[in-house]
Structure formats: structure tokens, C-alpha cells
Amino acid sequence: MRERYQGQSLNRLEDHRFLTGRGTYVANDHVPGVLHAHVVRSPHAFARIVRLDLEATRGLPGVVAVLSEADLAADGIGELPCVTVIDAIEPIIEPPRPALARDFVRHVGDPVVLIVAESLEAAVAAGEAVDIAYEPKPCVTVATAALAPDAPQLWKEAPGNSAFLFRKGDAAAVAAAMAQAAHVVECDLVNNRVVAAPLETRAAIGFHDRKTDQFVLSLTGQAVHGIRHVLAGSVFKIPLERLRVVVPDVGGGFGVKNYVYPEYALVLWAARKLGRPMRWVCERSEDFVSSAHGRDLVARSRLALDKDGRFLALEVKAVANMGAYLSTMGPVSSTNAAASAIGGVYDIPCVFYEVRGAFTNTPPIDAYRGAGKPEANYLIERLVNLASLKSGIDAVKLRRRNIVSRFPHRTAMGMNIDGGRFKANLDDAIALADRDGFRKRRKQSGKAGRLRGLGIACFLETSRGVPSEMARAAFEADGTVSLAVGTQSNGQGHETAYTQVAADLLGLPIDAFRFHQGDTDFLPGGNGHGGARSMHMGGTALVMAIEKLIEKGRLISAHLLQAPADQVAFADGRFVVQDTERAIEIGKVAEAARDPANLPEGMPPGLEGSATNSSELYNFPNGCHVAEVEIDPDTGIVRLDRYTIVDDFGRLINPRVALSQVHGGVVQGIGQALLEHVVFDPEGQLLSGSFMDYTLPRARDLPNFAGGLDQSAPTKSNPLGVKGTGQAGSIAAPQTIMNAVLDALSPLGIEELDMPATPYLVWSAIQKARVSERISK
């Protein structure tokens, strides 16, 4: 028997090229004859374009073209659509979104003019010379304010700035339970707006072949087939086969690179119009105002409990900021995705969730790591802590009393959970975090004049994403096996994990494989990554494809070995005739399969298998995290001192890669809880528009992580037994840390504080509490 690769913490196969500078990134792709694109953007949050004079700019040195929305319209270029489908009470209103602004600009950074030049320097210089006059209008950047009767109206198509109204659950049952409850706790919670800020900004190169009328788009993205469908169908109105989308290595995405942006349409259009390749690379300052932002949801939430502390009902009424336009999948995070995880790991008999989307003069919102699940888990875990405070029941006892413990379990929102370590995670995390020793550590901090708090939070992820994925496995002429999967890695380690799965199934060494992704020529379809779906959906598709390859190999082997097919079995890289010593290695079968003379009649040459995995089944990653913080009351600085992770992701293909994904997600959750916040001034200007003003976590902000991942509860939703790991850390961390911060502040009577818990906000809350205390005395 060969040693199994699955379950081993192998070094990532892709890392060698990354560490030796051999990664392939769009911005580094030097294309002969390429032109450079620069986008002139709106400096106003809301304004009418009253003059657009481009003639003088067209004559500047190096300038090849200066293009506006009128040129787009003349060439019949379509608008960018939102493709989200939700069962809304009030249907989604989708205002037009041309790739360049038409008559009005609706957020700072809205694209207005495309400059094309022989060099980037010439394009930027020409952009500064464009003569544009605006008539500024009052703007609104806060979603709740946008829904007010006197708010500025962004779109005639959307009265009251309402984008949609979504409801799910049993409102009547919730109201009845609330009326009978012994305790009802309620609070207003803000899930703050953040930028994704991947290390690699967005970039694209457009190509067009005039002889064949074929387009090629090379971009830093996450879903090549989805982007292709939107651009070919809605924007260029051409058959799919005339557009190829290619994604090389990607330096981080976190959701922000899943979507169709104006610049992608612009580089293809300009390449066709001018007959030369077109490059656009997003500057960091552009990225802050032109890429989709994440989160930005406010909610009024209520939780009902009986006299024994059992949860009876949950009600959430939320407002989601959509920005100025509906992004490709913008509404999904605050609607379908959030609703699937409302209530978390707890057995709550009835739940009602309502959310209204609002248009504002800000960049569009779309799915960011976790996509709705962080918002949902944040709500319930903050409520549970508040319920503990109001009822006097210990926070751990209250969670243990209400946590789902019998499986399968059907949630109030209709999700069927097949299993999980919900209660075991809680118990293990509490033990590892040494909660019993916390009182002593808090006393020691107090002697030093500091406040110490401990926060506990569980989480539930609903992982699947788009319910279909494709894969192909094929032996090549050089004896290697190519693997193509319709998902897309942007740092997760797919090349390693998929290869580990394939190596075990085919009984071959891991260096026998070549992994392919991110090219619409590799597979006829695919849905990228998102929703922590890659191993669940893509891994299953790969298993199915390899099973088809093996079945074809079995039939060929039976023909070669002159044995009945039903007496040939495959194991450990060989086809063996049962009860005999006749056998043939799969590599030899693949070599023979290239010659039709060696094949059964009618069988096409080659040894390969392709499959589509269509499955409505979700899996349910879950866990419990514990954070311990220390606060300096004189400065408001929060120091994250300890952090414990106990998570259940079913079976792990590569434990080290999986844990690294969790750590990365936790760090992003730390950023949202303590540091990151997109801030606009009253005129809609972005005040946090660079890394001078928008703070990402650094190594010094992080503690050493304790705990890890437990594999004792594999899911039955896929043959690998895996549950999605990619988003869990960002789902769990924010509420864990905020619960710790509020626990530290509780001796001062502080019960509410919104993210991010920056030094100024924490210090201000402490000063306000001290003033209130003095007044009360």
C-alpha cells in the first residue's frame, strides 16, 4: 500500500514558484504593443455632469484615445448587471450601470472618462487635463439616513433609495413567542464597512483579434466563467465562445475579485476599438474607491428567553448599504447568505429576519470573506452575551443550554445540519483557554491599572456556494496527469490539496500531477470559489472525474489483459485481474490508450474523465473561539493577549494549510473588530482612503494562537467528508473579540460598543462612563 497523502501537512506545491519570484501576475505580464489605460474618476459623491470637453486632451503627447459614455453607447456596449436572485418581498431594483458615468456621478471614484496612451505616464497626465464641470448635489452615505423621507434621491428608479425588501422566517410565531417570554433582550448592532485590501490590486489586460473577432481578458480574478458570462452576454452581447477569460496567479481576493467591474469591459472595448492590447492596473488609492467594499449592515435584534434561559425566538430587522449601484452579487450577502446562518449554533424554535437594501453615495457593497455569515453570527453572539448579562445566567452555561446537540437538526430557517461538534467545541475551547484561571489574570491586570476581559463566541458557517462545479482529470502524452477544476485559488493552496486527493485516488506520486485553473479554455464551466465551496464542490467534482477516468481505464485494462471487465479491479495504481497475478499499471494503460488499436471498439482514445458535481447539500463548519484582551484605560488601547481556536471542519486534506486559512481569517476578523473602518465625511469623501488612514492588522497586533482543528465529525454531504475552512476565522473572530472588550469594560457599566474598538472609541466610552459615575454619586 502506498502512503496516503490526504491528511498530511505537506508543504504547498505552489509556494516554490512564489518564493522564487516565478509567480505569474497580470501586472507583471509584459505584452508587446500594449497600450495603457487610465480612468478619470469623479471627485464628487453625487453630481450632475454639466460639461465634458475632451478635444484638447486628445491632442496631448502619447494619447491614443479619450473615450466617454457617449462612445460606449455608440458602440452598443451594454451595462453591468447584478445577477443576484433573491425571493424578495419587494423585488430588486437595478438601476443602470454603464462602464462610464452617464449624466450623473454617484460616488467618489465613479469612472467618467477612459484615457488610452502609449505610456501610463502620458495617460495619467492627460487625465489631469480633462475638462469636466460638475454640479454637486447633496449626498448620503449612511444607509439608514438614505431611507429617510428627506434624503437625497439617487435614482428615479428607486423611490426612497430602497433597493429591495427581503424577509424570511415566521414573523407571527416570533411575535407570539416574544409576548410570552420571561426575558427579551434587544440591541442595535453595526457591522462596519471594510475594504478587502488584497496585497495585489485589481488589474486587467484586454486583447482582441480583428481577424477572428475573438476577445481574451487576462485579469486578477476569482470566477472566470461567471465573469465571462456577464461580459459576453450583458455587456458585449456576443456568443460565449468569442470570449476567453484567463486568470494567472492571484495575490489575494477575499471575494472582491469575484465581480465584473467597469474596467474589465473598458479594456476589452478599447482593445477592439483601437486594435491593440490594453492594460489597466489599479492604483491602491483607486482600489479604495472603485473596488467593492464589504459588510456595512445595521440591525435591530431581539432575543426571547424563557425563565430557565432557553431561547424561544429571534428577530432581526436590518438595513444593508448597497452603495451607489448593485454590484454583480451585491444583495446576496445581506439576504440569502445571512438568513442561512441566522441563529448560529443554537436551537431557536422560531426566527424572523428582515433586511432592506439602501442605495447610498458610496462604492458598491458585495460579498467579502464570509459573505453574510459573519454578520449573522455577530448578531446572535452579541445577543447571547447580552442575554447572559440581563438574565444573570453564566455565558457558558447559557450557550451550553441552548446549543444544538442532536443531529440531524433542521433550523428554523430550513437548513438541514447533518452533524457537528457544537457542544464539544465549546467545552474544549473553554478548557484550552483556561477560563478558570481568568479571575487571577484579571486581578493581576487590575494591579497594573489595566482592564482585562474574556470573550467567548461560537460560530456556524453554511458552506456550499453555487450548487454546481466541474472538474477534469487526464493523462497527458508525457505521462503526467493534468487536473482542471472550475474553482479558483487566490491563496488557499488548491494546487496542493486537489493534488493530494488525486494522488490517493490514482495511487500515483504527488509529482505526477499538473494542476490547472483560471482559464475558460480548460473547462466548459465552473463557478470559482466563494462560500467556502472549493473542496466540498470542486473536490467532489474531481473525485467524480477520477472515478470516470478509472472506469475507462478498467475497461481498457480488461481489453488489454483479455479478461472480463467485471473481474478487473483498480487499487494502488494498478488494474488487477481478480484471483490472478495479471496486472497493469495505470500509466501503462494511459500510454496504450493513446492508440485506438489498443481500445475496445468505439472507445475514443486517451485516458481521461470529466464530471459535473451538482448538489444542493450544504456543509456546516462550526467552532468556538475564546479571546482575552487587556485595555489601558488611559489610552483606550486594546491588546489582544490570548486567542483560542477549536473548530470542526470535518476531514482535513492538509491540516497545516487548513489551519493557516483559519489563522488568516481570524486576522481579518481582528482587523474588523479593532482596527478597520471605512469612513466618509458629510460630502461623501473617503477619509480612510489609504493605508495612512485605514489600518490593517500587523504582526504586533496578533497574539499566538492556541488550539486547532478537530476531525472527529466528518460531514456526509460529500465523499471527502470535508467542511469549508476558508471563511471561518473571519466569521468567528469579530464577536469573540468584542465580547472580550465589553467584558473588560463591564466593571465600568459599559454594555454597548460598536466595531471597530479603536483606542479613541474605547477611551471615549471609558470617559463617558466615568462622567456618568461621578454624576450618579
Side-chain angles (χ1 to χ4, degrees), residues 719-744:
L720 296 170
V722 298
K723 304 174 186 178
T725 65
Q727 304 183 146
S730 62
I731 295 172
Q735 61 267 21
T736 306
I737 294 166
M738 289 306 295
N739 284 345
V741 169
L742 286 165
D743 184 55

Side-chain angles (χ1 to χ4, degrees), residues 28-359:
N28 294 336
D29 190 359
H30 298 288
V31 178
V34 72
L35 292 170
H36 298 265
H38 171 67
V39 179
V40 178
R41 302 182 183 277
S42 168
H44 299 283
F46 195 15
R48 186 170 69 91
I49 301 171
V50 297
R51 185 178 70 253
L52 183 57
D53 187 350
L54 307 178
E55 289 308 313
T57 310
R58 291 188 171 112
L60 293 176
V63 172
V64 177
V66 183
L67 303 168
S68 69
E69 191 275 332
D71 300 298
L72 278 173
D75 287 352
I77 304 301
E79 296 157 353
L80 278 63
C82 170
V83 300
T84 298
V85 177
I86 62 173
D87 187 16
I89 300 299
E90 296 176 7
I92 292 177
I93 294 174
E94 185 185 353
R97 190 186 184 189
L100 294 171
R102 178 187 301 152
D103 301 329
F104 287 84
V105 291
R106 290 179 170 84
H107 69 87
V108 172
D110 217 353
V112 181
V113 174
L114 179 70
I115 309 288
V116 179
E118 296 289 350
S119 69
L120 179 59
E121 294 77 12
V124 172
E128 294 174 353
V130 170
D131 184 8
I132 310 177
Y134 297 96
E135 179 189 334
K137 292 182 171 294
C139 69
V140 60
T141 61
V142 177
T144 50
L147 298 175
D150 59 347
Q153 298 299 292
L154 272 71
W155 298 99
K156 67 179 186 297
E157 297 89 345
N161 293 322
S162 178
F164 59 83
L165 178 63
F166 174 88
R167 289 176 181 152
K168 191 168 185 178
D170 191 334
V174 168
M178 293 279 179
Q180 299 173 5
H183 307 282
V184 176
V185 296
E186 55 186 308
C187 62
D188 294 312
L189 293 171
V190 177
N191 214 282
N192 45 314
R193 178 182 281 234
V194 295
V195 298
L199 183 63
E200 179 196 27
T201 59
R202 292 187 296 116
I205 303 176
F207 302 83
H208 180 258
D209 187 326
R210 286 183 171 174
K211 292 181 180 179
T212 62
D213 201 16
Q214 295 286 321
F215 290 96
V216 177
L217 176 64
S218 176
L219 77 157
T220 172
Q222 298 178 210
V224 290
H225 288 280
I227 291 171
R228 179 195 197 195
H229 272 272
V230 171
L231 287 172
S234 298
V235 179
F236 288 94
K237 305 176 182 67
I238 59 174
L240 277 179
E241 57 268 21
R242 282 178 48 200
L243 172 60
R244 177 187 179 192
V245 179
V246 179
V247 171
D249 291 321
V250 181
F254 317 118
V256 74
K257 294 177 180 175
N258 263 327
Y259 320 121
V260 176
Y261 289 95
E263 298 86 3
Y264 303 161
L266 293 176
V267 296
L268 289 173
W269 170 55
R272 181 177 70 179
K273 195 174 187 69
L274 302 173
R276 289 172 62 182
M278 194 70 48
R279 177 202 301 274
W280 172 79
V281 178
C282 193
E283 296 291 335
R284 183 62 66 180
S285 58
E286 277 187 293
D287 198 49
F288 273 89
V289 296
S290 66
S291 295
H293 292 171
R295 314 291 191 242
D296 205 343
L297 180 135
V298 298
R300 181 72 174 173
S301 304
R302 300 198 298 159
L303 180 66
L305 301 85
D306 68 15
K307 61 182 178 59
D308 298 319
R310 298 213 175 261
F311 301 159
L312 300 175
L314 170 66
E315 178 188 77
V316 177
K317 294 187 176 181
V319 175
N321 195 334
M322 290 289 98
Y325 306 92
L326 292 185
S327 181
T328 310
M329 293 177 280
V332 73
S333 296
S334 55
T335 56
N336 296 340
S340 71
I342 286 285
V345 298
Y346 304 106
D347 186 1
I348 307 177
C350 48
V351 177
F352 177 67
Y353 177 59
E354 175 185 284
V355 58
R356 184 177 289 279
F359 289 111

Side-chain angles (χ1 to χ4, degrees), residues 417-456:
I417 305 175
D418 63 337
R421 298 185 73 252
F422 295 5
K423 187 171 286 188
N425 289 334
L426 175 62
D427 293 340
D428 290 351
I430 294 302
L432 281 169
D434 185 25
R435 189 182 188 227
D436 292 340
F438 171 70
R439 184 176 296 178
K440 181 179 178 181
R441 296 191 295 275
R442 172 177 261 180
K443 187 175 181 180
Q444 291 171 340
S445 293
K447 289 179 179 179
R450 286 172 166 75
L451 304 169
R452 181 173 283 267
L454 184 140
I456 302 160

